[in-house]
Each structure stands twice: as structure tokens, then as C-alpha cells.
Amino acid sequence: MKHLITPNDLTNEEIEELFEDAKLFKDLKSNNLLDGKIVVTLFFESSTRTRSSFEIAAKRLGADVVNLEVNTSSTNKGETVEDTVANLNAMKPDAIIIRHKDCGLPESLKSYVDCPIINAGDGKNAHPTQALLDLFTIDEHYNGDIEGKNIAIVGDIANSRVATSNLELLPRFGLNPILVAPKRFKVTSSFKTVSNIKDVIDDLDIIMSLRVQHERHEITASPEKQAKQKEKYIKKYCITKKLMGNRDILLLHPGPVNRNIDISDEMLLDPRSKVLKQVENGVAIRMAVLKKFILQKSE
Ligand code: NCD
């Protein structure tokens, strides 16, 4: 049984096949490829895009979706996630999509199920379908000519699963990541890392802006210091029209965007911003992923 926990669960060839399917699904029209299949979603962390995108993708393929409301489920009564998943598995779903704050949890659930587990984000560890839709959006924009393109990943890299999964995936397709972050959000990495985006802006083809992942921070600074930090952060890392100038740079963000902190209102309206295109492509990519993993041949 094949599961999707990180982008490394897929070969480049499999990813290219997924993209071929996603292109066919791009009109987001309904079909009956997964007629009679049942997909369970289990979101222990907040989600707008990913959860609805998976649900719409499954429904577009003709599958039924059961969204377990974790706030009213037995996790509240002391049941472990492993037991919850084993119980759901006993009802014979065709896939389980899970998001949880604990890194490594989806991986550890593999032995409890007979259906594919699709990781919809585990802490700061991985978010494979986001990285796939990001790569797909880049590939689409450049008509497949992405080898050697420079992509700045800007913001809270240390706490972002979107960054982790993109840093795993994008270099496999020839993209060069440049990490742009203040000291507290940097990671040890073999990729070029800078504090100031202005130092690299002229070399960039793509900017991927990330939200500050407050939910994963331990707050030690006083409210005054936090306010100062925020002000400094905005000055240096908010993607504005002034920073972009007339440069031909593709602007991405996984959402949710913190307006005028991550990206300015003005830049969100700029045609170089592909934030909503990413959301649209996300459904097509998830349709391709669900099709592949649910219809996989048993090994
Ligand atoms: C991201 C996530 O949850 O990791 N959002 C998403 O899935 N589109 C990024 C974020 O929360 O900042």
C-alpha cells in the first residue's frame, strides 16, 4: 500500500504522470472515476483551502466524503489518534486524509490502516500536496521551462511545512531555492540563505512568501518587543510593489495570507501574484493524487 506522507514518496516520473492527470482535471469538471469510493478527512489543525480542496477534489471524482469533526469526536473523550484511525479503518474507507500538529504522526499511522494515508500537513514536517501544487503552478507558468529558475522562499522557514516540502521537491526539478529570513526563522541548510531580499531580488524568477507560523512559536518577548519585531519584519519581508518594481517575478503564497505583513494589498491584485491560481490548481492536483492513490494496484 502506497501512502503520501512527503514528496519523496513519489518519483519524478510519478510526479510527471500526476501533472499530466492534473492538466486533464484543470477544468475541475465532475467525473465518475472514484464512484462508490469513500474518503475520510481528519483535520486536527485549522484549514480553509486544503480541507475544502480535498473535499471538492474527491467529490469531483465522484467519491463520497466523510469529514470527521475532531472537536466533537472521541479524541475529546481520551481516545488516541491511533485508535481513532484504527476504528475509522475498520469501516473500510478508501483513503484517509489527515492533518495534525505532531510531526511524523501520519507516518506512524501507516501500520493501522489498509487504505492510503494522505498527509495534509503534520506540524512543520511536511505538506506534500501543497508542494506539488506549487511546483505545478510554476511549471504551468513557465511552460515546463523551469530548470535553473531561482526561487526565494521568504519568511518563517523554520516553522513552515510548506517550506520543508518545497525544499525537498523543487530542487529535484532543477529549481534553485534561496532562503530569505530573519535569524529567528532561518534553518541550517546547504541552500543560499540571506536576511535581506534586496540582496537577491535581481536574480529571482519566483518568490514564495510564507506566513509567520505564530501557532508554532513559544512566545517569550514582551508585547512591546513583539510589536517592534512585527514592524521590522514587515519593513524587510513584506512583498510590496516598491520591492518588486517592474521585475518579471512570479509571486506565490500557500495561504492564508496575512495582508500587508506577508504581501501588500496592492501586490495581491497585481497580475504577477498567482495566489488564487495556486488554489485553483490545488483542486486539480488533489484530484490527480486521489485518483492515483485510491486506484493504486495492491502490492
Ligand atoms: C499552509 C499550512 O497549513 O501549512 N496553508 C495551506 O495548507 N494552504 C500554510 C500556513 O498555514 O501558513
Side-chain angles (χ1 to χ4, degrees):
M1 175 63 60
K2 219 169 141 54
H3 305 275
L4 181 59
I5 310 296
T6 86
N8 282 347
D9 289 323
L10 294 163
T11 62
N12 284 18
E13 201 184 354
E14 285 177 308
I15 291 171
E16 278 156 18
E17 282 164 17
L18 277 178
F19 284 11
E20 285 312 307
D21 270 349
K23 280 177 200 159
L24 300 176
F25 293 142
K26 269 224 45 156
D27 58 8
L28 305 188
K29 291 228 171 86
S30 299
N31 60 50
N32 54 11
L33 283 167
L34 295 186
D35 236 1
K37 305 288 183 192
I38 294 182
V39 173
V40 174
T41 72
L42 255 176
F43 277 69
F44 291 94
E45 265 193 343
S46 329
S47 176
T48 305
R49 273 150 293 271
T50 307
R51 179 171 147 172
S52 42
S53 175
F54 267 116
E55 181 166 352
I56 289 172
K59 289 185 169 164
R60 287 287 183 214
L61 294 165
D64 281 322
V65 180
V66 175
N67 291 308
L68 193 81
E69 289 308 329
V70 293
N71 293 330
T72 52
S73 76
S74 292
T75 343
N76 266 352
K77 302 183 193 166
E79 186 175 63
T80 64
V81 181
E82 286 78 4
D83 283 339
T84 303
V85 167
N87 277 273
L88 288 168
N89 181 65
M91 302 178 205
K92 308 260 180 280
D94 297 285
I96 296 177
I97 298 165
I98 184 160
R99 167 173 283 191
H100 198 278
K101 69 175 182 13
D102 291 350
C103 296
L105 185 91
E107 171 76 30
S108 73
L109 293 172
K110 283 178 178 180
S111 55
Y112 294 85
V113 296
D114 306 296
C115 67
I117 290 182
I118 313 281
N119 182 9
D122 58 331
K124 60 183 182 182
N125 189 50
H127 194 349
T129 55
Q130 180 67 44
L132 287 169
L133 77 88
D134 293 337
L135 176 63
F136 183 78
T137 305
I138 296 168
D139 191 69
E140 179 181 52
H141 180 80
Y142 289 109
N143 263 320
D145 182 19
I146 57 174
E147 179 86 35
K149 295 271 187 274
N150 292 326
I151 173 164
I153 302 189
V154 183
D156 189 359
I157 295 162
N159 297 291
S160 164
R161 54 190 170 218
V162 177
T164 317
S165 281
N166 270 299
L167 290 174
E168 197 175 291
L169 181 66
L170 301 183
R172 287 172 49 192
F173 287 84
L175 287 132
N176 303 320
I178 300 172
L179 312 188
V180 183
K183 200 163 158 229
R184 64 185 196 285
F185 296 156
K186 278 182 182 153
V187 287
T188 334
S189 156
S190 56
F191 299 114
K192 178 170 178 169
T193 304
V194 297
S195 304
N196 199 336
I197 193 165
K198 288 185 185 144
D199 294 346
V200 290
I201 189 96
D202 286 321
D203 301 328
L204 299 179
D205 301 294
I206 308 148
I207 293 176
M208 180 182 290
S209 164
L210 300 172
R211 181 180 64 89
V212 176
Q213 311 280 301
H214 294 288
E215 67 276 29
R216 297 190 192 113
H217 297 172
E218 234 180 89
I219 297 165
T220 48
S222 64
E224 293 75 29
K225 191 163 176 220
Q226 282 179 56
K228 274 222 173 86
Q229 252 180 1
K230 184 172 167 184
E231 207 180 298
K232 262 175 88 180
Y233 182 87
I234 293 170
K235 271 206 183 115
K236 253 178 129 172
Y237 300 99
C238 182
I239 311 300
T240 60
K241 210 150 187 169
K242 190 164 168 236
L243 172 75
M244 295 276 283
N246 293 324
R247 294 176 187 85
D248 182 17
I249 298 177
L250 182 68
L251 177 59
L252 305 177
H253 192 298
V257 176
N258 284 165
R259 280 177 177 265
N260 303 310
I261 299 175
D262 310 341
I263 302 178
S264 68
D265 286 338
E266 197 183 15
M267 263 324 292
L268 282 167
L269 291 172
D270 191 284
R272 288 169 289 181
S273 160
K274 298 291 175 216
V275 180
L276 291 177
K277 178 58 83 183
Q278 287 172 275
V279 176
E280 186 184 320
N281 286 341
V283 177
I285 281 290
R286 292 184 174 109
M287 287 173 78
V289 163
L290 289 172
K291 177 193 158 206
K292 176 179 174 60
F293 283 81
I294 293 178
L295 298 184
Q296 66 184 278
K297 308 224 166 30
S298 46
E299 283 162 18

